[in-house]
Amino acid sequence: MSTRLFRPSRRAVLAYGGITAAGLLAACGSSGSGSANGSDANSIEMWARGGATTADAYAEIVPTLEQATGITVNFSTVDNFGQELQSRAQSKNLPDLWINDDVLLGTYQRQGLLREIILDDYTEASGIADARWEETQIDGGTYAVPYSRQTMVDCFRSDWLDKLGLSVPTTWEEYVAFLDAIATQDPDGDGTANTYGTNIAGTVKNGYLARWAMSYIWQGGGSFWTDNSDGTFSVNTTSKETVSAVQWIQEMFAVGGRVQPGALTADTSVSTPFFAEGKVGHTLTGPYQFSAMDQAPGKDLYVVAPAPAGPRGSTVLAEGENIYVSAGTEKLEAINKVVSWFISEQGQTTCMTNSKQPVVRVPVRSDMDAAAIYDDERWGVVQDALAESSQVFPAVADALAIKQVIAESLNTIVSSPEQDPTAELNNLKDELENVFDGLGLL
């Protein structure tokens, strides 16, 4: 098979989820899978990325799966997922199935790790929303099964809104006014100027700043790329709408108090406590944080709301996880039963309601209601945003590389609030063209 190797930009440091170029070449020769299960056609090996809590959740889920399907599933949660998958790819012994981030689809497919998905093989495939299937397609083929989805969500301190006599912001203008009020009007009442508008994981590491910023770029009507619908992309980082949105982001960092101190070097471990400890009035985060935020600052102290609309709406970044089928597995009948269960109403509900943590956040099926399943209207906000006003990184591309170069350019721009961002956005155009060209997508 032919293989396109990625040509990194001069600034991007690419990880490919921990899989190196050498691992990529070895993986393309993979022909075996799941040796831990031998030749037993009713036993498969399956991985998911995660730590102890995820392992506890699947330890509860897998017995229900096995009872429903009659298949023995040797399930492992893997913390250092990228390196472990690389090792197995090099030994031509991939697991039969694995669950991991949707943004890795293009990387896995280019490496030759994936079996093409035939929808007719899965009895529950028709229950999945068409939009979710579209996110798993590359060059007319389907290379993953949608499993879980979510969007970024806006959370506001409801008690501070009440104290300041403000309503939940519905527009950018109202949102900025809220941030400024939090920074200047002492909402916690301690007599000290120690509250800030919002918290941001703004480090360039792992592209964090880009992950935060993309919702606002899209809400402003901007975009850094256009899908040409022919397997290629065009890069345009300097449209009027994109420049305006970037300038709005630039001003967010320029005006004192709107973002927490040290935002441009903070990852999530640093930024998240600002909301939990009552130091910021807003956070843009994933709904997986609900349970933690219900403890601190407290469930009755914040409200989840649709994103305040920019000039072009309330689009938010959508993310999630897919089920990937190894190109080398021969246990298709068992795999079809297992995958069909995971995307069935029973499977999706079980994965949402186990006692440890939801490993499916918003169901991928169009006939399921997240708010009803969780008995929590906040999840309705997330599901509505997913259906009506969300956007994803292009599946065919390497989202990790894209996020990295965007984060580095945005960091340069917001670090110098007095500068016109156009020159750096032109540099970003060159960087992104290098990324897309290196993937054969330009």
Side-chain angles (χ1 to χ4, degrees):
M1 62 176 292
S2 62
T3 303
R4 286 196 185 101
L5 291 180
F6 180 78
R7 296 200 303 273
S9 68
R10 60 179 170 81
R11 294 187 302 176
V13 180
L14 306 181
Y16 279 114
I19 296 180
T20 63
L24 185 157
L25 290 172
C28 286
S30 296
S31 60
S33 179
S35 65
N37 307 300
S39 59
D40 185 351
N42 290 314
S43 179
I44 66 169
E45 183 181 18
M46 187 170 187
W47 286 9
R49 180 178 58 83
T53 304
T54 304
D56 288 344
Y58 279 111
E60 186 176 306
I61 292 165
V62 168
T64 304
L65 161 64
E66 291 179 325
Q67 183 177 16
T69 62
I71 304 300
T72 299
V73 180
N74 297 299
F75 202 105
S76 300
T77 50
V78 181
D79 189 18
N80 195 9
F81 195 100
Q83 290 186 9
E84 293 295 330
L85 194 69
Q86 173 191 1
S87 178
R88 292 290 292 269
Q90 289 174 333
S91 63
K92 302 181 181 180
N93 184 28
L94 289 166
D96 299 289
L97 297 173
W98 65 90
I99 297 169
N100 207 350
D101 295 340
D102 60 337
V103 297
L104 293 169
L105 171 63
T107 300
Y108 290 150
Q109 192 267 346
R110 284 191 304 279
Q111 293 172 343
L113 302 185
L114 304 178
R115 177 177 289 275
E116 185 172 351
I117 300 300
I118 307 301
L119 270 61
D120 288 345
D121 288 345
Y122 304 108
T123 57
E124 299 289 342
S126 62
I128 296 180
D130 289 344
R132 303 289 78 81
W133 281 119
E134 291 171 3
E135 294 165 359
T136 63
Q137 293 174 355
I138 297 176
D139 294 335
T142 301
Y143 289 93
V145 177
Y147 172 62
S148 173
R149 291 295 184 268
Q150 66 204 32
T151 66
M152 303 296 283
V153 293
D154 287 79
C155 305
F156 298 89
R157 281 292 297 260
S158 53
D159 56 331
W160 291 1
L161 285 165
D162 292 341
K163 182 172 183 178
L164 298 174
L166 299 173
S167 300
V168 174
T170 60
T171 66
W172 274 10
E173 292 75 18
E174 293 173 358
Y175 172 61
V176 169
F178 169 76
L179 300 183
D180 291 341
I182 295 300
T184 61
Q185 297 182 30
D186 190 26
D188 62 358
D190 68 354
T192 304
N194 60 354
T195 52
Y196 308 93
T198 189
N199 61 334
I200 299 172
T203 177
V204 300
K205 182 180 72 174
N206 297 327
Y208 273 119
L209 182 57
R211 182 173 180 267
W212 170 84
M214 287 312 303
S215 296
Y216 298 112
I217 298 295
W218 292 327
Q219 289 166 18
S223 183
F224 294 132
W225 61 82
T226 300
D227 187 338
N228 296 325
S229 300
D230 61 359
T232 67
F233 291 79
S234 299
V235 176
N236 179 13
T237 62
T238 56
S239 70
K240 177 181 178 182
E241 293 81 5
T242 300
V243 172
S244 179
V246 169
Q247 288 174 328
W248 185 86
I249 291 171
Q250 190 178 31
E251 188 174 0
M252 280 276 290
F253 285 85
V255 177
R258 287 184 180 174
V259 305
Q260 93 277 9
L264 286 180
T265 59
D267 61 16
T268 52
S269 68
V270 173
S271 66
T272 298
F274 278 86
F275 191 72
E277 296 169 3
K279 297 301 182 183
V280 298
H282 166 266
T283 187
L284 178 69
T285 188
Y288 45 79
Q289 287 289 346
F290 286 166
S291 59
M293 294 189 299
D294 287 353
Q295 300 300 313
K299 188 174 182 178
D300 59 339
L301 295 181
Y302 73 98
V303 61
V304 178
R312 293 291 179 88
S314 300
T315 301
V316 288
L317 175 65
E319 301 173 311
E321 293 182 314
N322 294 328
I323 300 174
Y324 298 101
V325 180
S326 168
T329 185
E330 298 177 355
K331 300 181 179 182
L332 298 185
E333 184 176 349
I335 283 171
N336 293 348
K337 290 178 181 179
V338 169
V339 171
S340 291
W341 183 85
F342 270 114
I343 62 176
S344 70
E345 184 173 358
Q346 180 195 19
Q348 293 270 287
T349 302
T350 300
C351 292
M352 293 170 69
T353 58
N354 73 89
S355 65
K356 306 303 180 182
Q357 72 171 16
V359 291
V360 167
R361 277 119 188 191
V362 172
V364 294
R365 296 181 62 89
S366 56
D367 57 357
M368 295 178 66
D369 183 342
I373 293 168
Y374 289 120
D375 192 23
D376 187 337
E377 288 300 323
R378 299 177 299 182
W379 285 95
V381 176
V382 183
Q383 191 165 24
D384 288 347
L386 181 67
E388 300 168 7
S389 55
S390 68
Q391 190 165 330
V392 298
F393 282 93
V396 68
D398 181 356
L400 300 179
I402 293 172
K403 289 177 184 178
Q404 190 67 41
V405 297
I406 293 173
E408 292 176 359
S409 278
L410 289 178
N411 188 282
T412 298
I413 290 168
V414 301
S415 295
S416 302
E418 73 285 350
Q419 77 168 357
D420 182 339
T422 304
E424 180 58 32
L425 289 173
N426 274 315
N427 290 337
L428 176 60
K429 182 176 185 292
D430 293 338
E431 297 287 350
L432 286 178
E433 285 182 342
N434 190 22
V435 170
F436 283 106
D437 185 43
L439 299 171
L441 301 173
L442 193 63

